[in-house]
Amino acid sequence: MAHYLLWMIQIALVPVVAPLGIGIINKLKARMQGRQGASILQSYRNLRKLLHKDEVIAKDASWIFRVAPFIVFGVTVLVGASIPLFSSMLHLPTSDLLMVVYVLAIGVFFLALAGMDTGSAFGGFGASREVTLGAVAEGVLIFSVLPLVILGGTTNLVVLATGVTSGYVHHLIPILLAAFGFIVALLAEAKRFPFDNPDTHLELTMVHEAMILEYSGKRLALMEWAAANKLFIFSALAVNLFFPFNLISSAGLGQVMIGVVVLLAKMLVVYVGIAVLESLIAKLRYFRLFHLLFVALILSVVAIGLVL
Amino acid sequence: MEILAIIIGFVVTGILSFVLRNRRLTEGLSLAVTAVGLVVSTLVAYRVSTSGTYEPFSFISVDSLGALVMLLVSVVAFFVALYAVPYFRKETDKKIIDDRHVRQYYALSAIFLAFVLSTAAVSNPVAAWIFLEATTLSTVFLISFYRRSSNVEAAWKYLIVNAVGLLLAFFGTLLYFTSVAHGGGVAGLVHWDTLAAHAKQLDPAVVRIAFIFALIGYGTKVGLAPMHTWKPGAYAKSPAPLGALFSGALLPVAFLILLRFKSITDVAVGPAFSQHLLIGFGVLSIVIAAFSIFATEKNKRLLAYSSIEHAGIMALGFGFGGIGVMAAVLHMIYHSLVKPALFFLTGNMLLRYHSTYIADVRGAMSILPSNSVLYFAALFAIVGFPPFGMFLTEFFILSSGVTTYTVVVAVALLAMSVAFIGFFRHANAMLFGEPPRGIEKTKTSPWLLVPSAALLGITLFITFYTPPFVQTLIHEAVGKI
Amino acid sequence: MKENGSNMFDAIASPAGLITLLSVFGLGALGALVVRAFDHVANFWTAAFAILGSLWGMLFAGSIFVTHHEVAMKVATSSFSGFSVAMHVDKLAAFFIFVISLVAFFCSIYGIGYAKEYYKRFSIGALGFFYNMFILGMLLVVTSFNGLWFLLAWEIMSLASYFLVVYDRTDRKNVKAGYVYLIMTHVGALALLLALALLYHYTHSFDFDGIKAHIAAVPHLALAAVFGLSLFGLGIKAGVIPLHIWLPSAHPAAPSHVSALMSGVMIKTGIYMMIRLFLDIMGPAPLWWGIVVLSVGAVSSLVGVLFALTEHDLKRLLAYHSIENIGIILLGLGSALIFSALHRPELVLLALAAALFHTLNHATFKSLLFLSAGSVIQATHTRNIEKYGGLMKLLPATGLFFLVGSMAISALPPFNGFFSEWLTFQALFGGIAHAGGSAQWVFVAAAASLALTGGLALACFVKAIGATFLARPRSSAARHAKESGFSMKTGMAGLAIACLAIGLAAAPVTRLLQTVSREVTGLSGVASTLHVSGSRTLVVGDHGAVVSGPAVALLLLLVVVLVWAGVRYGVYRRQKVMTGPTWDCGTDLNERMEITATGFSQSIIRVFKSFLLPTLHHAVERHEDENPYQIKSRTVSMQIRDMYQASIYRPLYRLIGMMSRSAEWIHHGNLSAYILYIFAAIIIVLAVGA
Amino acid sequence: MTGDTGLIQACIAILCLTTVGLHVARKNRNEAVLYGLQSLAVVSLFVSALLEHYATPLLIVAILTFLVKVVLAPLFFTKLVKRHGLKFAASTYTNVPETAAGLVIILILAGSGIFAPLANLVPGHHTFLVMAIAAMLSSMLLMINRKGALSQIVGVLSLENSIVAFAVLAGLEQSAILQAGIVFDVSVWLVIAVSMVSLVFRHHGSLDTSKMKSLRH
């Protein structure tokens, strides 16, 4: 199939499928709580509704508040396009581990600034918590992928996703440890359960929701969407880096279809895992999160030790 | 011939200014005689640099180091006289002293300079000792100049400690004559060189004891460590011009005599003995002075401790030998030029703030702006910041001893940095901050600033370009030490 | 280069070029003193000469790179044989000249507007004199080739910057800052002096090439001593962690365009000399040197950013960030030293290029941040972040430039900060993969500290921007802030564009720095792991970790614009956008409800509380008349116990004080004791000596 | 310096006895008298050395020294004591037994190896030279021990006497002019010291140097 079609799929895959993931998680949680729960397409309907509503912007907010949603969403789309999803042929100059981390950091940067821009107490505290968690989580993220970087010899994600298979077998334990570290970082970055409860607006605990409290209309839609994208990106990375068996190398239609299906299947496992996790455990106290993150960091360092 | 003339000139000025009633005449006389003295010593220095040791009479002999010291003394004397005139006029206007005091100062300081020059010029060690003793006597009354109980106490201590020190030096000097005396009186005047020539026949044990006595004796005059106790009191209580004379003129001369004895001892017992002694005393002086600088409360005592520290650095330089000797000679020149400048600037502060306590002097930057700028420059010169030569000399002194005496150099370096911290702390306290009430900014007369500016200018000039005849003098002197 | 073009560059890259560069600044300094009576003329004279000089500096450095000349000059002085005015400009020195001139150029433009604040309060002539002497001192330091001449230039630079720190002497804190600063720099210079003395003793020469030639003669112990001493001395100037206490108080005390120069460039002269000494002169360094420098770098970066988080004085916050970035540069330099000890030349080139690139980047974005902080402070007349707020609407240009600077310093991609940090990361990962034994774990620790520092730096600058520029002004001063003048805005704009431009041109700049590091380490023939393919992408390692400046910027811009256009016009074009008050659960919102800088960093400080030891102070003000339980106002302030100050410097100062009191006690005035001293001296010396 | 040993022995004995006496003396007047006695001993020592090779200038110097040290000095001291009524010398830091112990240590020290090279400069006079050195050290001890300003002056002068005695015994005399210079120097020193003492008395009310604390604060 033409190269461009491949690229079209690569770019579109993340924004299109991400809300579905959120829908699945909410559905599963509802079912576990014995509720019927909204349909898995509910998040698409939310986005459509928000995109067609009028908007109210705080009078104290500066231009950063207005521009932030576009940057945050744009960043997730760019990262979505540059990470290895289903084919190992497609890589951009930005598909490097550190580049991905720091481009996402732009998103965090503007999200936090937008949170503080409205001058309400919630936004400020949300930003402070977000940025503190982000600082430590970023370290954990880099360190959890480091064993693979050492094995693969480079920080290029596409090469990592394909190259690691060879050394995979006799490095199983360090990779599993690193995977655990990465999962913790995923939950921290995507603000899922032990770190932040996405469904509640309780001032004491909310982190992500606090920052987008003042948004409405199209900008709120973009922010919600960006959050969904981010979760999708991290789970895709988790899946492709640590269980890298589905990356296709040729551009045949069949091959592509198989690749995408296998990817979505593996992603489903991750989403189900998150939903089950969110139903089982309660949210940790804010300052206990850092113990969890440091444990993840230690595990990654142990993994590095084993790999060296 | 000119040396004798200038020494007699100073003596005559001394007597005249004691007798004459007219104040303006005594000032003019002192300026004239110091100016002539400067010209004469430059001529003598030039002659010594061209034609070797200059011996017009049997009892006068000026070698290269002597000529260098005499030139230094006369430069310092000229600028002190230049500063003394406006300083004492200001003091008389403020009714601190009356005319009788000023005349006493001009008389005794002229006599003091006469004796200092003759110590450097005279050929016989015992005669040199006599004139050095005379310098002490001539300045006792100058220290008790302001006639307050603390001045008298300082003068008394100065007299007794120096008397003891110089008597020990006398004993040391006599012991050197065992090589020449061998029974019966000695006909003519024994010359430094004859002592050096006969040094070989001296019994080494006697020479060691003699040098120890000489070092401790003349060390009292120089102000090396355990014998320096008279300096803080004397410098703090004497008028600023006298303090400048002490540190600028007396210190090099005392060091000159000490170095002559060192060269004789080196011939007799080899250099190691005297070097170790000089290093020991040098480090002790640097350490004691450095920490005293940090803790002192009076700005003139600060300068006294700084002189002791620099005496220690010079002793260290001579002790380390090699390039260190030349650096020590240069260090002596720079110190004798910069320290008087510091004394003049501190004197100006005293005039304005009427107190020698560092705590009382605040905000000098806004009260005496040009004086403070010069004070900053002098501070950076004395502490060894680069544009001035002390930085180079201190560097070479330390580098000459760095491998053989590493611990000594490390201790000296630490002490010198403590001295810098102390000196800079006091300067900071004095120059910045709010001036105390009641003291407002008035124009200081330029004549109070010209001498120190000129001295700092000369130091800067000779750091980069030393006139050729001075350079030959230094190389010859280094050869002899 | 074209034929006629090259001889023009040959003419510039010559001793004459160097002399004109130095004399322009010298003239600017002396001229400023001459015209010090008229503030306007002095200000213009200083700025004109500084700008002219820095332009010529950039041209001179550029021509050195183009013509590959090495300008050398030597003038012997009369007083001492070893001391000669020797200047030598190779590519490393040219690079530093370029960095100095670039920052000086924009700071001088900024200075025209900024100095107006000091008219009639202090003498502008003095400011101009010390400003030009300061830049001259830095240029002399990086071009000097004789040990003594280097020390001379080093102290001129310190002295000039001291007088600039205490320029605003009415404020007692500035005087104290200056006092601590000059003492530490002088102690550092004494350490350097001792190191050079040791080198002189074994190699009998002060010229760097002379030392380099006879370096084999220096025994290992002496070499280790020289390394320790010079790391101590240069570490003080660079502001590495245990020796940093002067930096957070001295840099903010100076006028802003001077603190930009100090933070951006002066601390780099320490780095320059470290590279010159450890890599160039003192030959193959043993392994433990690299490990020491790397661990110092790691500690400095992490502790620097932690202290920055606790600050609520804008300029002190930026000063602590200088310590952090110096730490990052030392990470690069440390790994270069380790690789040269492990004989892996291709990694040495990568690590050194990373260090040099971060030096350039830090110079640009740190000076941009200081300049914009300066205009914020000039507009609000206070340095306390808690008093700012909502300045983005009042100072839009300064806000934008501060934002650009913060994004660059937090290593966010389109700007230059990211690429040097990326290279440093690659060097560290290379170290983890290839270094053996204990060095590996040092690299792991360094990588951990760099990762954590990156995140914390982002947190700190979100705090700085949020508390300063966003939401509502929290004090009347902030409410009446006015945008700074044209010259100040051009100065900042230039630096912002430079940050972006260097980000885009990351590949060619890195190739240039590769040639510099090849020349310094003498590894000209070796292929480096870092190679630049085409003019856009940086490729590291055989498997090709690829990153490209222009591509990232283009993609980001494209995506954001597409999303904006799509959402704005693609969907529900008739959307109405209204502005209303921020919702705060029904209560009337006042500016005190915004989060303050202390509140913002509260959670981070609690996480690292075992290190920062925070103490909270509650000041409660009650109404005098009615019942005491009616609280009028409660202010919570937080103090951080500066561990280094409390555990190293204050006890040291007390010790010196105690020892000096005992030394002063010797002069207690009792005459008999004085004579006893002399008597004891005689007896002891006789017993020992004879 | 052969001279007849008997006279030398007598003079040296007087020298040491007077120094010890100075340590014990209570009244200022006694110190003046003892100092006169000591100077007499030294002058006679000098004269006895003169007998071998007679030279008129040396004789004049001897007379001069006699005049200054034996006549003038005690005169000045007694006049000073009368004018200011300074009957008693200020107390000492150490009581009598401790001073005695100090003197014994001094004697041992003088005879010990440290000063051995000095002692056998002239083999014949070994004991005499040791005694002279002991006198020197004990006069320094006097100055350390005594608080009174007057006794410090006497300490200095007795130190000078013992040095001259040592020089004469070791055959190190200088030429006449230098001798004259030294005597003139000592006399000027004496005059200045006495006037300083009266100045100290006027300003500090007493001669006790340990009371002088104005310099400290």
Side-chain angles (χ1 to χ4, degrees), chain B residues 185 189 274:
Chain B
L189 283 173
S274 62

Side-chain angles (χ1 to χ4, degrees), chain B residues 124 126-127 129-130 133-134 137 140-141 144 147-150 152-157 159 163-164 167-168 170-171 174-175 177-178 181 184-189 203 205-206 209 213 233 237 298 301 357, chain D residues 1 53 114-115 117-118 121 133 136 140 143 149 152-153 156 159-160 163-164 166-167 171-175 177-178 181-182 185 188-189 192-193 195-197 199-200 203-204 209 212-217:
Chain B
N124 176 296
V126 175
W129 177 80
I130 292 169
E133 178 76 21
L137 302 182
V140 166
F141 284 105
S144 59
R147 288 294 180 279
R148 277 197 302 274
S149 63
S150 54
V152 168
E153 181 190 336
W156 173 255
K157 288 195 174 120
L159 179 66
V164 169
L167 279 177
L168 295 179
F170 178 53
F171 184 62
L174 285 182
L175 286 178
F177 281 77
T178 47
V186 174
L189 283 173
D203 156 20
V206 170
I209 294 177
F213 273 97
K237 290 304 156 195
K298 293 193 173 143
R301 280 177 88 102
Y357 278 89
Chain D
M1 208 334 273
H53 36 77
I114 301 173
F115 295 95
L118 298 186
L121 268 176
I133 294 168
M136 247 169 56
M140 277 191 77
M143 276 189 285
Q152 273 166 358
I153 295 178
V156 167
L159 176 64
E160 197 271 339
I163 289 174
V164 165
F166 181 89
L172 298 171
E173 313 88 349
Q174 298 302 313
S175 65
I177 314 151
L178 289 177
I182 293 165
D185 213 22
V188 168
W189 191 86
I192 288 180
S195 55
M196 275 311 288
V197 163
L199 209 62
V200 162
H203 277 277
H204 287 280
T209 54
M212 285 201 274
K213 280 284 177 277
S214 51
L215 198 59
R216 190 70 197 94
H217 36 70

Side-chain angles (χ1 to χ4, degrees), chain D residues 1-12 40-54 58-59 62 125 128 165 168-169 173:
Chain D
M1 208 334 273
T2 52
D4 47 359
T5 52
L7 177 63
I8 300 166
Q9 221 163 5
C11 302
I12 290 296
L40 185 64
V42 168
V43 165
S44 53
L45 201 65
F46 182 71
V47 164
S48 73
L50 205 57
L51 296 186
E52 290 114 31
H53 36 77
Y54 177 80
L58 281 181
L59 188 62
H125 295 166
F128 302 142
V168 166
L169 283 172
E173 313 88 349

Side-chain angles (χ1 to χ4, degrees), chain A residues 60 116 118-121 124, chain C residues 388-390 466-467 470-474 589-596:
Chain A
D60 308 312
M116 292 174 75
T118 52
S120 79
Chain C
Y388 296 150
L470 303 181
R472 280 177 301 288
R474 283 194 287 279
L589 196 66
N590 60 42
E591 65 276 3
R592 278 191 54 262
M593 291 197 181
E594 286 158 30
I595 190 159
T596 60

Side-chain angles (χ1 to χ4, degrees), chain A residues 8 32 37 40 43 45 49 54 60 129 148 169 188 235 255 265 269 291 298 307-308:
Chain A
M8 288 305 294
M32 275 189 242
I40 51 175
S43 31
R45 295 192 195 98
K49 173 195 73 178
D54 290 346
D60 308 312
R129 290 181 193 138
L148 301 179
V169 176
S235 15
Q255 288 286 353
V269 169
H291 303 314
I298 301 301
V307 163
L308 281 187

